[in-house]
Amino acid sequence: MTEVKTLSKGSPEFESYLLGSFSKTHRALPIQTLNANSSLETVTFEIVPVPEIKRPSFAILISHLLKVRAFILILFPVYLILVKNNADGTIEDPMVVLVSTFGILSAYIAVNLRNDYTDHMKGLDRINRQAGSRVIQKGWMTASEVRSFAHFFVVLAFFLAGLVIFAFPMVIGVVLLTTMVGIWAQFLKKGSFKYHKGGEFFVFLLLGPLLTTGYQISISGFWDIESLYLGIIWGWLVVFLQHLKNFEYIMINSQAGYQNTVTWLGFDKTKVLLKVWWLIFMAMFVTYHLRYSGVFWTWFVCTVLSFCTLPFFISLNNLRSSIGSDLLRSRRLGYNLVLITLFLWAAENIWYWAQWQAWGI
Amino acid sequence: MQRNVIDLKVYDSKDFPAYLPKLTSLYEDLFNGGKGFRAKLIWMMSDALSLPPKCEHLLAQTIEFIHNASLLHDDLVDRSHLRRGKTTAWLKYTPEYAVLAGDYLLARVMVNLSSHGNIKLVQYTSEVISDLLEGEWLQDSVVGDFFVSLEQLDRIHNLKTASLFKWCLRAPFIALERYDKDLHGILEEMGTLLGQLFQRSDDLLDYNIRNYESKAILGDLKSGYLNSFGAFACEGLDRQQINHVIRSKDLDAFYNGIGGREVFEQKVKDFDMANEKLIGLYFHHSERLKKYLIPSEEKLITYLNPLTDLLYWRKKTSD
């Protein structure tokens, strides 16, 4: 067997092995964690020479590290606000649009990297082998390198925000508010917001109304009720995804003492939460369309979503284990519902754009 | 030192009320057939740590009561007809008696331990019983789920099987009022690995691998349960292939279901290789354990090290 080392939290080397800073020639891959998130935590590491670690191509490494698939959580509301403001003729300067978009992406990447780092150090990503980007646990990068990347993207985000503030001073309010919420959420006394019940509220704010109104201000100098409403809907949808993910890991999180709304409610009540949450989303989505879109699309979207919701609700009703494959199936159905929603929303936008092109608007 | 497990005599009808009908015969059926491996593990620990005989008997009785209580409940939950070659208690008597008999054993455990007076031992044993029941609950919830992953099953087995092995390693030290948290951390890791290896080896018996005791083949699969090797072998199969596997009435059908005999044998090799890594980890922890033992206790390592051969590779060692 390759070299193995076990360290407890009280050991002076513990943090350096977790960070990966104990050696320049070897990586410590965590293979077993006991009593995570407690003072009795012990971790067994497999010590592997760096040349023996099978790293993927640079593109794959970056896509894992930056969680490129999750960019849709940022890029889709950005796209909706862009389309809306373009249609309203309120975009001032395409360069500012570019800088704002990259600024938001940088901030999002920074938060994700910081989460990866924190979840590794706290043990969440070590006891749950499906969670996180796995970049640290596989030895592709050390935790300290990931932390450094997070710092880089934070600095980049602030730099780009500074450029946008120069163009639209009003945006400073949103930037400051977002920064305060983000810092408070990340550094709460007992650990970041991810480990608190109700922590999803911060996700709702940061990826919802703060994102949409802030972005609108940054590209046009003002915000309106429609973008705020859009942000509320989007934030609600993102939290739905968060609840789904937490539901999949309810047993692991409960055993490790990680708290969130799902572990607080328990298995049976979370099934109800997911259904109610989705129904509220659909109600908000339909009312948004009734107010800002045409009748055809409102009823089309409502009908399609209602039809697609049935399999998800049936799977939740039939779910009887917090650990089997049926739970994964329910989660996938929930995710598919979100993807269908995005597809319909994008299709609607493209349809309207095509109409305007045809009418010469 | 040669000792016979019969000397431990964990069950004595005189310890139970004479006025409860059928209880004595139910327990005699239950305790007479068992190998008493967990009690033997307690004996090894007690011998190495020089535990007083009364304490050794208490611990051996406790673990066998907990284990057999879980068997009574398990057989009813699974609707099994045979246990150790005999008709299961719920079938021979009634389901109600099987449940109550299991509960009664757990209650006796609490009575005996609290009389002993070591509150930390009572607390730890309660936690282990709680883990055991959680594991049984979760196991029942995945019956019929043929897409369950090995990692998910490991979580169940850690609660259900490994918890008792952890108890066997930790309880003697707790009984001696040795509470060093690093020591118990090591024992916890070793117990987890022993439990995992034991369960995986037991699951291999279902596929006639190292099945020296001629255990029934494909019993778990026919009961609607995909065990750890089954989950490992079926990883990556699509729904159609899994459906074919589920309907296997014999091993040949199972081989065909997963792609042939050669594929099966390669899967067994891969499974053994993965478990050899766990065995390597076990030895790593047993090396760490030496630091916490006084010289007279170091024979504990000679008792513990061969357990992987016994539990996983099913190699017989002398008692």
Side-chain angles (χ1 to χ4, degrees):
Chain A
M1 186 160 176
T2 50
E3 190 192 339
V4 162
K5 186 162 181 146
T6 301
L7 293 168
S8 57
K9 208 165 197 171
S11 161
E13 296 175 290
F14 184 74
E15 196 167 291
S16 68
Y17 270 72
L18 274 185
L19 280 171
S21 54
F22 73 103
S23 164
K24 289 194 190 313
T25 56
H26 288 72
R27 290 271 154 87
L29 309 184
I31 52 175
Q32 207 175 29
T33 297
L34 210 59
N35 299 319
N37 196 31
S38 79
S39 60
L40 301 172
E41 183 173 354
T42 56
V43 182
T44 300
F45 298 94
E46 187 180 358
I47 312 299
V48 182
V50 171
E52 283 181 27
I53 291 177
K54 288 182 196 139
R55 284 177 80 159
S57 65
F58 181 74
I60 292 176
L61 172 66
I62 289 297
S63 77
H64 270 84
L65 179 68
L66 304 185
K67 292 182 190 162
V68 167
R69 282 196 314 178
F71 279 7
I72 198 166
L73 295 179
I74 289 285
L75 293 179
F76 197 84
V78 158
Y79 153 77
L80 290 175
I81 297 293
L82 257 180
V83 164
K84 175 196 142 27
N85 280 270
N86 186 49
D88 294 343
T90 53
I91 293 179
E92 293 272 345
D93 182 349
M95 194 50 73
V96 174
V97 170
L98 212 60
V99 170
S100 291
T101 308
F102 277 109
I104 287 172
L105 258 179
S106 299
Y108 181 67
I109 290 168
V111 166
N112 271 339
L113 289 172
R114 177 78 197 179
N115 276 341
D116 254 6
Y117 162 78
T118 312
D119 289 349
H120 167 74
M121 297 302 285
K122 283 237 174 251
L124 192 62
D125 283 0
R126 283 184 273 117
I127 56 173
N128 183 356
R129 290 169 202 267
Q130 314 300 327
S133 66
R134 312 312 301 163
V135 164
I136 301 172
Q137 294 76 30
K138 287 183 181 176
W140 296 349
M141 292 177 71
T142 65
S144 64
E145 284 170 348
V146 171
R147 185 179 56 184
S148 300
F149 264 94
H151 293 161
F152 167 76
F153 277 101
V154 163
V155 168
L156 180 63
F158 274 114
F159 170 71
L160 293 171
L163 294 178
V164 175
I165 288 168
F166 188 73
F168 294 112
M170 196 180 158
V171 90
I172 193 170
V174 175
V175 171
L176 281 175
L177 185 59
T178 307
T179 307
M180 269 167 39
V181 170
I183 290 172
W184 183 39
Q186 201 66 24
F187 295 105
L188 283 168
K189 209 172 166 188
K190 283 186 201 169
S192 86
F193 69 94
K194 282 175 72 171
Y195 310 112
H196 287 259
K197 56 179 181 282
E200 295 89 354
F201 177 66
F202 295 109
V203 171
F204 167 77
L205 281 181
L206 292 172
L207 289 180
L210 281 178
L211 170 65
T212 51
T213 53
Y215 187 64
Q216 188 179 35
I217 294 171
S218 72
I219 63 173
S220 63
F222 74 97
W223 65 277
D224 57 28
I225 297 294
E226 186 183 347
S227 68
L228 177 66
Y229 194 4
L230 204 91
I232 291 169
I233 296 172
W234 185 256
W236 195 265
L237 190 66
V238 172
V239 175
F240 173 74
L241 289 172
Q242 185 73 40
H243 286 324
L244 269 180
K245 188 175 157 191
N246 290 339
F247 190 43
E248 186 188 347
Y249 302 136
I250 186 173
M251 182 183 168
I252 297 169
N253 289 342
S254 296
Q255 284 187 323
Y258 295 114
Q259 290 192 356
N260 50 50
T261 303
V262 166
T263 56
W264 177 60
L265 285 175
F267 182 76
D268 295 311
K269 285 183 184 163
T270 298
K271 287 166 43 170
V272 176
L273 170 77
L274 288 170
K275 286 183 231 170
V276 169
W277 204 275
W278 179 254
L279 287 174
I280 292 174
F281 165 76
M282 275 183 64
M284 289 197 291
F285 193 59
V286 167
T287 49
Y288 172 84
H289 274 79
L290 275 173
R291 173 71 180 83
Y292 296 109
S293 183
V295 172
F296 165 75
W297 277 103
T298 302
W299 292 113
F300 178 69
V301 158
C302 182
T303 307
V304 172
L305 282 185
S306 301
F307 185 69
C308 295
T309 296
L310 275 175
F312 175 58
F313 277 24
I314 291 170
S315 82
L316 279 180
N317 283 345
N318 293 339
L319 199 54
R320 60 186 190 101
S321 176
S322 60
I323 199 166
S325 64
D326 288 347
L327 184 60
L328 288 174
R329 187 169 169 269
S330 290
R331 188 197 179 193
R332 240 178 279 123
L333 285 170
Y335 269 30
N336 288 347
L337 264 183
V338 172
L339 288 177
I340 290 166
T341 305
L342 300 190
F343 174 76
L344 288 171
W345 214 338
E348 178 193 359
N349 274 275
I350 291 168
W351 187 85
Y352 278 120
W353 176 81
Q355 289 282 305
W356 293 328
Q357 292 297 307
W359 296 336
I361 295 172
Chain B
M1 183 185 179
Q2 296 285 331
R3 286 186 63 185
N4 195 312
V5 71
I6 294 167
D7 294 336
L8 290 167
K9 205 172 185 319
V10 298
Y11 169 74
D12 188 340
S13 59
K14 293 189 185 60
D15 292 333
F16 293 89
Y19 51 84
L20 293 177
K22 300 198 175 141
L23 187 72
T24 309
S25 56
L26 191 155
Y27 283 154
E28 274 169 4
D29 284 345
L30 186 65
F31 285 102
N32 280 346
K35 293 190 285 292
F37 175 77
R38 289 158 190 79
K40 279 189 208 174
L41 190 47
I42 291 294
W43 165 72
M44 287 179 202
M45 299 293 295
S46 304
D47 186 55
L49 301 177
S50 305
L51 219 58
K54 208 172 161 195
C55 194
E56 175 189 326
H57 182 264
L58 171 69
L59 296 185
Q61 187 180 66
T62 296
I63 195 61
E64 286 296 329
F65 275 20
I66 294 173
H67 173 57
N68 283 281
S70 76
L71 294 183
L72 284 170
H73 290 159
D74 256 356
D75 288 341
L76 174 59
V77 166
D78 296 341
R79 300 295 191 268
S80 303
H81 289 209
L82 288 176
R83 166 65 63 187
R84 296 165 179 161
K86 289 185 247 174
T87 307
T88 45
W90 73 272
L91 205 53
K92 185 174 176 183
Y93 301 93
T94 63
E96 292 84 356
Y97 274 172
V99 169
L100 291 170
D103 291 349
Y104 196 70
L105 283 176
L106 296 177
R108 290 304 309 184
V109 160
M110 289 296 120
V111 166
N112 296 343
L113 284 179
S114 48
S115 304
H116 177 69
N118 183 328
I119 189 65
K120 286 199 188 298
L121 189 57
V122 176
Q123 185 185 7
Y124 178 55
T125 306
S126 313
E127 286 168 10
V128 164
I129 292 173
S130 169
D131 284 348
L132 180 65
L133 292 170
E134 275 184 36
E136 287 186 14
W137 193 288
L138 286 170
Q139 180 156 26
D140 186 57
S141 74
V142 298
V143 167
D145 184 350
F146 293 97
F147 292 88
V148 65
S149 69
L150 179 59
E151 196 189 329
Q152 289 169 329
L153 287 176
D154 280 345
R155 292 191 191 282
I156 295 174
H157 297 151
N158 189 35
L159 290 169
K160 199 171 164 249
T161 312
S163 56
L164 297 191
F165 282 91
K166 287 185 238 182
W167 190 94
C168 288
L169 298 185
R170 291 184 61 186
F173 284 95
I174 297 174
L176 289 171
E177 295 182 11
R178 283 166 65 173
Y179 305 124
D180 184 299
K181 58 181 174 64
D182 289 334
L183 164 66
H184 282 277
I186 294 169
L187 296 170
E188 181 95 357
E189 306 244 26
M190 291 177 75
T192 303
L193 289 164
L194 275 182
Q196 211 169 356
L197 289 166
F198 170 76
Q199 186 62 57
R200 290 180 176 196
S201 172
D202 199 64
D203 290 345
L204 280 170
L205 298 181
D206 223 50
Y207 298 90
N208 209 28
I209 303 297
R210 296 185 282 274
N211 188 12
Y212 309 129
E213 294 151 27
S214 304
K215 188 183 159 192
I217 308 295
L218 296 183
D220 289 341
L221 199 62
K222 287 172 186 168
S223 303
Y225 174 64
L226 197 67
N227 68 26
S228 60
F229 177 70
F232 181 84
C234 292
E235 198 181 335
L237 295 186
D238 60 37
R239 192 163 281 274
Q240 204 178 2
Q241 288 169 308
I242 298 268
N243 284 336
H244 193 83
V245 166
I246 293 166
R247 288 194 290 265
S248 302
K249 294 273 183 269
D250 54 38
L251 274 178
D252 285 332
F254 184 82
Y255 299 153
N256 288 338
I258 63 165
R261 181 82 190 247
E262 279 178 16
V263 169
F264 173 82
E265 281 169 5
Q266 186 58 47
K267 292 276 183 189
V268 173
K269 276 193 192 135
D270 294 342
F271 194 64
D272 281 343
M273 217 158 58
N275 292 317
E276 274 170 359
K277 284 190 181 167
L278 297 183
I279 291 170
L281 257 183
Y282 177 81
F283 289 134
H284 160 72
H285 291 307
S286 93
E287 274 302 303
R288 293 174 61 217
L289 179 61
K290 282 182 190 167
K291 204 173 78 171
Y292 298 90
L293 302 175
I294 59 178
S296 63
E297 294 171 348
E298 280 175 9
K299 64 177 164 179
L300 180 61
I301 305 296
T302 58
Y303 284 147
L304 293 180
N305 278 353
L307 288 180
T308 55
D309 274 350
L310 180 67
L311 291 179
Y312 187 73
W313 300 109
R314 305 254 154 188
K315 288 179 188 169
K316 291 200 186 305
T317 61
S318 56
D319 288 330

